[in-house]
Amino acid sequence: MMAAQRSMLELGALHYAYPLRGARRAVLRGVGLRIERGELLALIGANGSGKTTLLRLMAGTLRPDAGDVWLEGRSLAAWDRRGIARRIAVLPQAVDLPSGFRVAEVVEMGRAPHARRLFGSTAQDVAAVHAALRDADALELAERGVDELSGGERQRVLVAMALAQEPALLLLDEPTLHLDLAHQVSLFRTIGRLRRQRSLTVVAVLHDLQLASALFPRVAVLDEGRIVADGAPEQVLGPEMVRRTFGVAMEEATGIDGRRHLVLSGH
Ligand code: ATP
Protein backbone atom coordinates (compact mmCIF):
# COMPACT_ATOMS: atom_id res chain seq x y z
CA MET A 1 0.00 0.00 0.00
CA MET A 2 1.39 3.42 -0.97
CA ALA A 3 0.48 5.19 2.27
CA ALA A 4 2.59 2.82 4.38
CA GLN A 5 5.69 3.81 2.40
CA ARG A 6 5.30 7.53 2.99
CA SER A 7 7.77 9.03 5.39
CA MET A 8 6.45 11.19 8.20
CA LEU A 9 8.66 14.01 6.97
CA GLU A 10 11.06 14.31 4.10
CA LEU A 11 13.38 17.22 3.36
CA GLY A 12 14.88 17.49 -0.09
CA ALA A 13 17.86 19.77 -0.89
CA LEU A 14 16.61 22.59 1.33
CA HIS A 15 18.15 26.01 0.94
CA TYR A 16 17.28 28.99 3.06
CA ALA A 17 18.73 32.48 3.44
CA TYR A 18 17.53 35.27 5.72
CA PRO A 19 17.27 38.71 4.16
CA LEU A 20 20.10 40.86 5.47
CA ARG A 21 20.32 44.56 4.62
CA GLY A 22 19.24 44.06 1.02
CA ALA A 23 21.38 40.93 0.62
CA ARG A 24 20.62 37.33 1.57
CA ARG A 25 22.46 35.40 4.25
CA ALA A 26 22.66 31.67 3.46
CA VAL A 27 21.83 29.57 6.52
CA LEU A 28 20.80 26.19 5.08
CA ARG A 29 22.74 24.94 2.07
CA GLY A 30 21.15 21.77 0.75
CA VAL A 31 19.71 19.83 3.70
CA GLY A 32 18.20 16.43 2.98
CA LEU A 33 16.64 14.18 5.63
CA ARG A 34 14.04 11.45 5.74
CA ILE A 35 12.25 10.87 9.03
CA GLU A 36 10.03 7.82 9.40
CA ARG A 37 6.95 7.57 11.59
CA GLY A 38 7.90 6.74 15.18
CA GLU A 39 11.51 7.87 14.85
CA LEU A 40 13.27 9.93 17.51
CA LEU A 41 15.87 12.23 15.97
CA ALA A 42 18.21 14.53 17.88
CA LEU A 43 19.49 17.49 15.89
CA ILE A 44 22.77 18.86 17.16
CA GLY A 45 25.20 21.54 16.00
CA ALA A 46 27.05 24.67 17.08
CA ASN A 47 25.26 27.95 17.85
CA GLY A 48 24.10 29.56 14.63
CA SER A 49 24.47 26.38 12.53
CA GLY A 50 20.81 26.59 11.43
CA LYS A 51 18.98 24.16 13.75
CA THR A 52 16.09 26.46 14.68
CA THR A 53 15.78 27.59 11.07
CA LEU A 54 15.53 23.94 10.00
CA LEU A 55 12.79 23.28 12.58
CA ARG A 56 10.86 26.30 11.24
CA LEU A 57 11.08 24.91 7.72
CA MET A 58 9.91 21.51 9.01
CA ALA A 59 6.92 23.19 10.68
CA GLY A 60 6.09 25.26 7.61
CA THR A 61 6.49 28.60 9.40
CA LEU A 62 9.30 29.40 6.94
CA ARG A 63 9.22 28.49 3.26
CA PRO A 64 12.42 27.18 1.64
CA ASP A 65 14.14 29.22 -1.09
CA ALA A 66 14.83 25.95 -2.90
CA GLY A 67 14.04 22.31 -2.19
CA ASP A 68 10.90 21.06 -0.50
CA VAL A 69 9.45 19.57 2.70
CA TRP A 70 6.99 16.69 2.37
CA LEU A 71 4.67 15.83 5.24
CA GLU A 72 3.24 12.32 4.86
CA GLY A 73 4.25 12.40 1.20
CA ARG A 74 2.64 15.75 0.35
CA SER A 75 4.50 19.03 -0.04
CA LEU A 76 3.93 21.33 2.97
CA ALA A 77 2.97 24.08 0.52
CA ALA A 78 -0.11 22.00 -0.38
CA TRP A 79 -1.31 21.64 3.25
CA ASP A 80 -3.52 24.25 4.93
CA ARG A 81 -2.51 25.64 8.34
CA ARG A 82 -5.10 23.64 10.25
CA GLY A 83 -4.06 20.38 8.57
CA ILE A 84 -0.45 21.02 9.56
CA ALA A 85 -1.45 22.02 13.11
CA ARG A 86 -3.33 18.74 13.51
CA ARG A 87 -0.16 16.80 12.75
CA ILE A 88 2.76 18.95 13.88
CA ALA A 89 3.25 20.52 17.31
CA VAL A 90 6.18 22.83 17.90
CA LEU A 91 7.83 23.68 21.18
CA PRO A 92 9.87 26.77 20.30
CA GLN A 93 13.02 27.84 22.10
CA ALA A 94 11.72 31.05 23.62
CA VAL A 95 8.03 31.71 23.77
CA ASP A 96 5.76 33.50 26.20
CA LEU A 97 2.62 31.93 27.57
CA PRO A 98 -0.47 34.09 27.03
CA SER A 99 -0.75 36.25 30.14
CA GLY A 100 -3.72 36.30 32.53
CA PHE A 101 -4.85 32.69 32.10
CA ARG A 102 -4.86 29.60 34.26
CA VAL A 103 -2.57 26.74 33.21
CA ALA A 104 -5.49 24.46 32.28
CA GLU A 105 -6.94 27.18 30.02
CA VAL A 106 -3.64 27.66 28.22
CA VAL A 107 -3.18 23.92 27.70
CA GLU A 108 -6.69 23.75 26.28
CA MET A 109 -5.65 26.31 23.66
CA GLY A 110 -3.45 23.51 22.30
CA ARG A 111 -6.70 21.80 21.24
CA ALA A 112 -7.56 24.59 18.77
CA PRO A 113 -6.63 22.63 15.61
CA HIS A 114 -9.11 19.91 16.64
CA ALA A 115 -11.99 22.24 17.56
CA ARG A 116 -15.29 21.16 16.06
CA ARG A 117 -17.25 24.11 17.35
CA LEU A 118 -16.49 27.71 18.19
CA PHE A 119 -17.13 27.64 21.93
CA GLY A 120 -16.89 25.01 24.65
CA SER A 121 -14.94 21.82 24.78
CA THR A 122 -15.88 18.24 23.98
CA ALA A 123 -15.33 15.27 26.29
CA GLN A 124 -12.44 14.39 24.01
CA ASP A 125 -10.85 17.83 24.59
CA VAL A 126 -11.20 17.47 28.37
CA ALA A 127 -9.59 14.02 28.28
CA ALA A 128 -6.76 15.24 26.02
CA VAL A 129 -6.01 18.23 28.26
CA HIS A 130 -5.96 16.03 31.36
CA ALA A 131 -3.64 13.48 29.70
CA ALA A 132 -1.35 16.26 28.43
CA LEU A 133 -1.08 17.86 31.90
CA ARG A 134 -0.37 14.46 33.45
CA ASP A 135 2.21 13.49 30.81
CA ALA A 136 4.02 16.81 31.16
CA ASP A 137 4.11 16.50 34.98
CA ALA A 138 1.97 19.63 35.17
CA LEU A 139 -1.24 18.28 36.69
CA GLU A 140 -0.60 20.00 40.02
CA LEU A 141 -0.16 23.32 38.16
CA ALA A 142 -3.56 23.17 36.42
CA GLU A 143 -5.27 25.84 38.54
CA ARG A 144 -2.27 28.14 38.88
CA GLY A 145 -2.01 31.42 36.98
CA VAL A 146 0.58 31.19 34.18
CA ASP A 147 2.19 34.48 35.22
CA GLU A 148 3.35 33.12 38.56
CA LEU A 149 5.28 30.06 37.34
CA SER A 150 9.00 29.33 37.50
CA GLY A 151 10.98 28.81 34.27
CA GLY A 152 10.83 25.02 34.56
CA GLU A 153 7.10 24.99 35.42
CA ARG A 154 6.44 27.24 32.42
CA GLN A 155 8.38 24.83 30.22
CA ARG A 156 6.26 21.90 31.43
CA VAL A 157 3.09 23.87 30.61
CA LEU A 158 4.44 24.47 27.08
CA VAL A 159 5.11 20.74 26.75
CA ALA A 160 1.54 20.04 27.93
CA MET A 161 0.18 22.51 25.38
CA ALA A 162 2.07 20.73 22.59
CA LEU A 163 0.90 17.29 23.79
CA ALA A 164 -2.74 18.47 24.01
CA GLN A 165 -2.50 19.03 20.29
CA GLU A 166 -2.05 15.23 19.96
CA PRO A 167 0.43 15.63 17.13
CA ALA A 168 1.92 12.91 14.95
CA LEU A 169 5.16 14.89 14.82
CA LEU A 170 6.63 16.84 17.71
CA LEU A 171 9.35 19.43 17.00
CA LEU A 172 11.24 20.45 20.12
CA ASP A 173 13.77 23.29 20.25
CA GLU A 174 16.00 22.75 23.28
CA PRO A 175 13.12 21.39 25.37
CA THR A 176 15.24 20.77 28.46
CA LEU A 177 16.64 24.29 28.75
CA HIS A 178 14.84 25.15 32.02
CA LEU A 179 14.23 21.65 33.32
CA ASP A 180 16.02 20.07 36.27
CA LEU A 181 17.43 16.57 35.80
CA ALA A 182 14.33 14.77 37.12
CA HIS A 183 12.03 16.65 34.74
CA GLN A 184 14.41 16.13 31.80
CA VAL A 185 14.31 12.37 32.37
CA SER A 186 10.56 12.49 32.87
CA LEU A 187 10.02 14.41 29.59
CA PHE A 188 11.97 11.86 27.59
CA ARG A 189 10.22 8.94 29.32
CA THR A 190 6.89 10.47 28.28
CA ILE A 191 8.15 10.90 24.73
CA GLY A 192 9.34 7.28 24.68
CA ARG A 193 5.94 6.08 25.89
CA LEU A 194 4.00 8.17 23.34
CA ARG A 195 6.27 6.82 20.65
CA ARG A 196 5.44 3.23 21.69
CA GLN A 197 1.72 3.91 22.21
CA ARG A 198 0.96 5.96 19.12
CA SER A 199 4.12 6.07 17.00
CA LEU A 200 4.82 9.70 17.87
CA THR A 201 7.69 11.05 15.76
CA VAL A 202 10.07 13.48 17.47
CA VAL A 203 12.77 15.83 16.23
CA ALA A 204 14.56 17.59 19.10
CA VAL A 205 17.28 20.22 18.93
CA LEU A 206 19.62 19.40 21.78
CA HIS A 207 22.85 20.89 23.06
CA ASP A 208 23.49 18.15 25.59
CA LEU A 209 25.41 15.46 23.71
CA GLN A 210 25.15 13.00 26.62
CA LEU A 211 21.37 13.33 26.62
CA ALA A 212 21.24 12.94 22.83
CA SER A 213 23.46 9.90 22.97
CA ALA A 214 21.63 8.23 25.86
CA LEU A 215 18.06 8.82 24.74
CA PHE A 216 17.99 9.18 20.95
CA PRO A 217 18.53 6.25 18.58
CA ARG A 218 19.40 8.67 15.76
CA VAL A 219 21.48 11.83 15.79
CA ALA A 220 21.99 14.28 12.90
CA VAL A 221 24.70 16.93 13.01
CA LEU A 222 24.22 20.29 11.32
CA ASP A 223 27.36 22.24 10.48
CA GLU A 224 27.26 25.53 8.59
CA GLY A 225 23.89 24.71 7.06
CA ARG A 226 24.65 21.13 6.01
CA ILE A 227 24.00 17.73 7.57
CA VAL A 228 27.52 16.38 8.06
CA ALA A 229 26.65 13.20 9.99
CA ASP A 230 23.47 11.20 10.51
CA GLY A 231 23.16 7.85 12.25
CA ALA A 232 23.24 6.00 15.55
CA PRO A 233 24.86 8.05 18.36
CA GLU A 234 27.76 5.59 18.75
CA GLN A 235 28.60 6.11 15.07
CA VAL A 236 28.06 9.86 14.99
CA LEU A 237 29.17 11.23 18.35
CA GLY A 238 32.90 10.53 18.28
CA PRO A 239 35.71 12.87 19.43
CA GLU A 240 36.59 13.76 15.83
CA MET A 241 33.06 14.97 15.03
CA VAL A 242 32.93 17.00 18.26
CA ARG A 243 36.29 18.59 17.50
CA ARG A 244 35.26 19.48 13.94
CA THR A 245 31.76 20.71 14.78
CA PHE A 246 32.28 22.38 18.14
CA GLY A 247 36.04 22.96 18.18
CA VAL A 248 36.29 21.19 21.53
CA ALA A 249 38.68 18.38 22.47
CA MET A 250 36.95 15.36 23.98
CA GLU A 251 38.04 11.80 24.68
CA GLU A 252 36.19 8.55 24.79
CA ALA A 253 35.96 6.62 28.02
CA THR A 254 34.19 3.36 28.80
CA GLY A 255 31.64 3.69 31.59
CA ILE A 256 30.75 1.07 34.18
CA ASP A 257 27.81 0.17 31.92
CA GLY A 258 30.34 -0.88 29.27
CA ARG A 259 29.22 1.88 26.90
CA ARG A 260 31.50 4.49 25.41
CA HIS A 261 31.07 8.04 26.71
CA LEU A 262 32.55 11.35 25.66
CA VAL A 263 34.42 13.26 28.35
CA LEU A 264 36.13 16.64 28.14
CA SER A 265 39.89 16.37 27.67
CA GLY A 266 41.94 17.74 30.56
CA HIS A 267 44.47 20.50 30.01
P1 ATP B 1 21.50 28.24 18.48
O1 ATP B 1 22.20 26.95 18.83
O2 ATP B 1 22.31 29.43 18.87
O3 ATP B 1 20.08 28.32 18.93
P2 ATP B 1 20.76 27.58 15.69
O4 ATP B 1 21.61 26.46 15.18
O5 ATP B 1 19.39 27.23 16.13
O6 ATP B 1 21.54 28.36 16.85
P3 ATP B 1 19.50 29.50 13.92
O7 ATP B 1 18.70 30.14 14.98
O8 ATP B 1 18.83 28.63 12.94
O9 ATP B 1 20.74 28.68 14.56
O10 ATP B 1 20.29 30.66 13.15
C1 ATP B 1 21.15 30.38 12.06
C2 ATP B 1 21.76 31.69 11.58
O11 ATP B 1 20.73 32.52 11.04
C3 ATP B 1 22.44 32.49 12.68
O12 ATP B 1 23.63 33.02 12.17
C4 ATP B 1 21.44 33.59 13.00
O13 ATP B 1 22.11 34.76 13.39
C5 ATP B 1 20.71 33.78 11.70
N1 ATP B 1 19.31 34.18 11.90
C6 ATP B 1 18.40 33.53 12.68
N2 ATP B 1 17.18 34.13 12.61
C7 ATP B 1 17.36 35.20 11.79
C8 ATP B 1 16.49 36.23 11.31
N3 ATP B 1 15.20 36.27 11.68
N4 ATP B 1 17.01 37.16 10.47
C9 ATP B 1 18.32 37.12 10.09
N5 ATP B 1 19.18 36.18 10.49
C10 ATP B 1 18.72 35.22 11.33
Side-chain angles (χ1 to χ4, degrees), residues 69-138:
V69 178
W70 292 274
L71 173 64
E72 296 174 355
R74 184 149 63 105
S75 169
L76 267 189
W79 288 83
D80 62 19
R81 273 298 348 146
R82 191 172 148 105
I84 294 176
R86 281 182 173 180
R87 285 167 183 81
I88 305 181
V90 187
L91 186 61
Q93 202 177 90
V95 65
D96 287 329
L97 288 166
S99 182
F101 291 94
R102 285 183 305 115
V103 165
E105 290 170 325
V106 165
V107 172
E108 193 169 341
M109 291 173 195
R111 296 296 299 160
H114 299 281
R116 277 194 222 104
R117 49 187 184 194
L118 211 47
F119 299 106
S121 43
T122 62
Q124 209 179 345
D125 291 328
V126 173
V129 168
H130 182 85
L133 284 165
R134 184 199 58 212
D135 287 341
D137 270 337

Side-chain angles (χ1 to χ4, degrees), residues 40-54:
L40 301 184
L41 171 71
L43 191 59
I44 66 168
N47 288 146
S49 55
K51 303 179 296 297
T52 297
T53 306
L54 188 56

